[in-house]
Amino acid sequence: MLGSAAMICGPVADAVAVDLQPEQSPEAYGDALRSAMGDDGRPVLILTDLLGGTPHNVASLICLESRGPALSPVCVSGTNLGMLLEAATGMESLDVDSIARLEAAGRASIVNVMPRLEQSNV
Amino acid sequence: MPLKLVRVDDRLIHGQVVAVWLRAVGADRIVIVDDKTAQNEFLRDVLTLAAPQGTPVEVYGLTDGLARVTELASSPTSVFLLMRTPLTALRLRELGVQFDMLNVGGLGAGPGRHPLYKNISATDEEMAAMRTLEEMGTKVELRIVADDHGVPFASVDKR
């Protein structure tokens, strides 16, 4: 998905894909994710595909555990390319409004095409 | 009623896999017995959100889990019992919980863990626990997803 995004908007800066290996335990995946997130205090956005999948569960747990006075990481599920492009090009910060726009971009890119086309041709 | 499915999976609830198993065995409630999960409020919340919508999730440590599972086994509720390791399954079995079959669906690799089948690995202690369960009359089957074929533990146990 990062490759597809790069074709559209150029390489996504500071983006890392952390994939779950079939034999990887949630703990090991959590370590990989934490190391990808870094600890330099910069805001982190975690995009997961499947709500309730192991990468998503581990990411949620890390977000909950790192909640505090400092900037907490944000985790959003249901990632599609539309969302990733919004994150790559339209986000300056992780405030509530930016996250809402990100969710909206994801939802807006889900369309049953034919009814939409027929509607616009009336 | 008797437990519908007794499963070991170190990822506990991961959406799709659990949804398919619930449908396949006809269970309507997930009970997790795991001390570590029971003590971690965050982890409990995450796993509850990960379950298919409308499926209640209960999380207990060993002692409370034993009581709850025993109670549910004599109620009309059909239960999917989930644990992180075969060690818990053995403890529950020794403490009197009845189940004829243990499904081992997820045990990740790592230091001190021997690969058994596909992505399933186990420590020496877990191997011993699965052997004891078999000696107690509980069949141990390695089966990751519901539409796989189950592989008997005994057939991959090269001691």
Side-chain angles (χ1 to χ4, degrees):
Chain A
M1 203 182 275
L2 283 174
S4 302
M7 288 202 304
I8 298 166
C9 66
V12 184
D14 289 335
V16 189
V18 185
D19 55 342
L20 175 70
Q21 303 301 323
E23 72 288 347
Q24 201 169 19
S25 70
E27 288 74 19
Y29 183 77
D31 293 342
L33 187 54
R34 278 192 197 85
S35 117
M37 290 166 71
D39 52 6
D40 56 6
R42 291 192 297 168
V44 176
L45 171 66
I46 307 173
L47 298 173
T48 66
D49 48 10
L50 185 64
L51 178 69
T54 295
H56 176 84
N57 292 347
V58 172
S60 314
L61 188 61
I62 291 177
C63 288
L64 281 169
E65 286 170 349
S66 21
R67 244 185 344 192
L71 195 55
S72 305
V74 172
C75 175
V76 182
S77 68
T79 306
N80 56 35
L81 190 51
M83 267 170 81
L84 178 57
L85 289 171
E86 169 68 23
T89 61
M91 286 188 90
E92 295 295 323
S93 69
L94 294 180
D95 59 82
V96 176
D97 291 342
S98 303
I99 301 298
R101 278 200 300 279
L102 183 71
E103 288 183 45
R107 291 202 174 89
S109 60
I110 301 170
V111 167
N112 180 3
V113 171
M114 291 316 286
R116 177 73 70 89
L117 287 175
E118 282 157 17
Q119 200 180 21
S120 60
N121 283 339
V122 179
Chain B
M1 63 177 70
L3 300 166
K4 284 283 184 185
L5 177 67
V6 181
R7 176 173 168 93
V8 167
D9 188 337
D10 59 7
R11 298 181 187 181
L12 292 172
I13 297 179
H14 43 129
Q16 304 305 74
V17 174
V18 162
V20 171
W21 274 110
L22 281 170
R23 270 199 302 275
V25 302
D28 52 30
R29 178 175 300 260
I30 298 173
V31 176
I32 295 175
V33 177
D34 184 60
D35 284 331
K36 181 178 152 197
T37 309
Q39 286 156 15
N40 185 333
E41 183 195 343
F42 294 156
L43 192 51
R44 290 202 311 266
D45 289 348
V46 167
L47 291 171
T48 305
L49 179 66
Q53 236 173 0
T55 306
V57 178
E58 302 178 21
V59 185
Y60 302 100
L62 187 73
T63 312
D64 294 342
L66 171 67
R68 182 62 174 149
V69 168
T70 309
E71 176 190 24
L72 285 170
S74 57
S75 80
T77 312
S78 53
V79 172
F80 176 176
L81 173 61
L82 196 51
M83 292 151 292
R84 192 188 287 275
T85 153
L87 304 178
T88 309
L90 176 60
R91 288 294 292 135
L92 287 176
R93 185 73 179 74
E94 286 171 341
L95 292 166
V97 177
Q98 295 296 321
F99 49 97
D100 300 333
M101 167 79 80
L102 176 70
N103 165 248
V104 177
L107 281 176
R113 310 188 61 85
H114 320 293
L116 273 184
Y117 165 72
K118 290 191 176 173
N119 305 317
I120 298 176
S121 303
T123 61
D124 288 335
E125 198 185 3
E126 287 169 341
M127 298 287 285
M130 291 189 278
R131 282 179 204 127
T132 309
L133 279 163
E134 294 234 301
E135 284 158 19
M136 295 174 83
T138 292
K139 286 200 167 55
V140 179
E141 176 197 68
L142 313 180
R143 191 172 173 193
I144 296 166
V145 290
D147 49 3
D148 256 359
H149 291 290
V151 169
F153 167 68
S155 73
V156 294
D157 181 17
K158 303 180 191 75
R159 57 173 137 177

